[in-house]
Amino acid sequence: DPLPLRTARATSTMGRVILAVRKGKGSIFKSHTKHRKGAVSFRTQDFAERTGYIKGVVKEIIHDPGRGAPLAVVQFRSPYSFKLQKQLFCAAEGMYTGQFIYCGKKAQLTVGNVIPVGELPEGTVVCNLEHRPGNGGTIARASGDYCTIMTQDHDAKKTRIKLPSGARKTVAATCRCMVGIIAGGGRIDKPMLKAGTAFHKYKAKRNEWPKMRGVALNPVEHPFGGGNHQHIGKPSTVARTKAAGRKVGLIAARRTGRLRGGKATQALAEKAKEK
C-alpha cells in the first residue's frame, strides 16, 4: 500500500505557540474585570469647567479590585438638568468623605481640585493628568504617583511636565489634572513574603503569574529553552522582522550593555539635572 499523504492539519500544528504569542490573542489572558467599580475619569469638559468651576462632594472612598490606589466617588449637580452625576476619581492623598471638590479653570489650588495645568504655578505636584485636553486623565494614576510642573509657555499655550519615570513631556495648557499625589503610596515597600500573597494580588488583575524565565523552559516552549545548563546560547537581540515565535529578548535593540565613557558621563549629568 502507498504511504498516506501528510494532511495540512498535521503540518500546521508542529511545534508549540509560545506564551508571549498566546497572550496577544486574549482569551484566558484577558483582564479580570468582574468586580471592578467602573471607568475612572474626570467629568466631561463643559462650559462650567472651561470658564469657571463646578462644585462636587466626595461621597465615599472605595477599593477597586486589581488597583493599588483607592477611588473617590464624587457627586456633582448637573448644570444642565435636574439630576445628580456621580464620577469616579483616583483619590488624592488627604482626600476625605464630605470634602468639597472644585473642578474648573477658576478653582483654587487645593489638594483634590481639578484644574487645567496652564493655570498652575511651576513646581506644583499634580496627578491624574490628561495628555490630550478632555480625555479624562491618563498619566500618574498608580498609587503614590505624581507629576511635577516644570515650565509654562503661555505664548505657545504649552506646559512642560516631569513624569513619574523622570522623563519630560510637553502637554497643552488646557489639559486638566488633579492637585496632589495619588493615595496609597508606599504600597511596594512592604514585601510580599509568600507566594500566596502574590497569587491573590494577580488573581484580581489577570492571568500573568507565576512568570517563568525563558532559559528555565524547554526548547519547544521558548527560543532560549533547553541545554544542560541554563543559558541563552544565542544573541538575546532579535530583529523586528522576525517571526512572532522567535521575537523574545531585546527586540530591535538600538544598543545594549551599560553606558561607558562619554555617554555614561552624559547620562549622569542628565540625571543630576532632573533632580
Side-chain angles (χ1 to χ4, degrees):
D1 287 346
L3 289 169
L5 290 169
R6 282 198 299 173
T7 62
R9 180 182 170 78
T11 54
S12 64
T13 53
M14 282 174 63
R16 182 173 290 187
V17 180
I18 68 168
L19 189 64
V21 173
R22 287 176 59 215
K23 280 190 170 182
K25 299 281 193 288
S27 183
I28 61 166
F29 299 103
K30 286 179 180 171
S31 286
H32 299 167
T33 56
K34 185 177 169 67
H35 299 288
R36 302 271 172 102
K37 299 295 182 273
V40 176
S41 77
F42 296 141
R43 294 178 69 253
T44 305
Q45 206 167 17
D46 55 8
F47 182 79
E49 279 201 42
R50 280 196 299 271
T51 54
Y53 63 83
I54 186 166
K55 184 173 88 169
V57 62
V58 179
K59 300 303 281 185
E60 57 179 333
I61 307 283
I62 57 174
H63 169 67
D64 189 21
R67 186 192 295 267
L71 299 182
V73 180
V74 184
Q75 187 173 282
F76 295 91
R77 284 177 184 271
S78 172
Y80 306 108
S81 56
F82 182 69
K83 63 178 180 182
L84 296 173
Q85 295 172 334
K86 276 192 176 175
Q87 203 72 35
L88 278 177
F89 285 7
C90 278
E93 201 163 282
M95 231 183 222
Y96 55 90
T97 52
Q99 180 184 351
F100 290 123
I101 298 290
Y102 297 90
C103 302
K105 189 180 178 182
K106 300 282 175 71
Q108 284 188 327
L109 181 60
T110 312
V111 170
N113 285 358
V114 178
I115 310 171
V117 286
E119 302 296 317
L120 298 171
E122 291 169 7
T124 309
V125 169
V126 299
C127 58
N128 205 357
L129 167 73
E130 294 180 328
H131 73 279
R132 287 197 190 90
N135 74 357
T138 53
I139 299 171
R141 285 156 55 110
S143 52
D145 267 5
Y146 62 90
C147 293
T148 311
I149 291 175
M150 304 303 290
T151 51
Q152 296 278 17
D153 187 348
H154 296 294
D155 298 330
K157 294 182 179 173
K158 301 277 184 191
T159 304
R160 195 140 176 83
I161 307 282
K162 185 180 174 185
L163 303 182
S165 63
R168 310 295 173 94
K169 184 176 176 67
T170 304
V171 296
T174 50
C175 288
R176 294 171 295 173
C177 61
M178 183 183 277
V179 181
I181 76 168
I182 299 284
R187 177 171 50 87
I188 56 173
D189 295 346
K190 183 183 175 185
M192 292 238 216
L193 293 179
K194 56 180 189 170
T197 313
F199 169 82
H200 290 295
K201 176 189 173 178
Y202 290 105
K203 188 169 187 283
K205 288 178 182 283
R206 66 199 67 82
N207 178 10
E208 61 174 8
W209 183 90
K211 274 193 169 68
M212 287 288 285
R213 292 168 299 129
V215 289
L217 300 174
N218 295 314
V220 73
E221 291 153 349
H222 198 276
F224 297 166
N228 284 344
H229 298 283
Q230 287 189 5
H231 68 292
I232 295 176
K234 53 172 78 67
S236 57
T237 50
V238 61
R240 196 183 296 284
T241 52
K242 282 285 185 186
R246 175 67 184 88
K247 213 188 279 190
V248 294
L250 305 170
I251 299 167
R254 289 194 178 91
R255 64 174 307 285
T256 60
R258 66 188 183 89
L259 294 165
R260 300 179 67 180
K263 282 187 177 176
T265 315
Q266 191 182 331
L268 284 169
E270 280 175 15
K271 213 166 197 179
K273 202 188 291 177
E274 281 172 9
K275 285 177 183 176

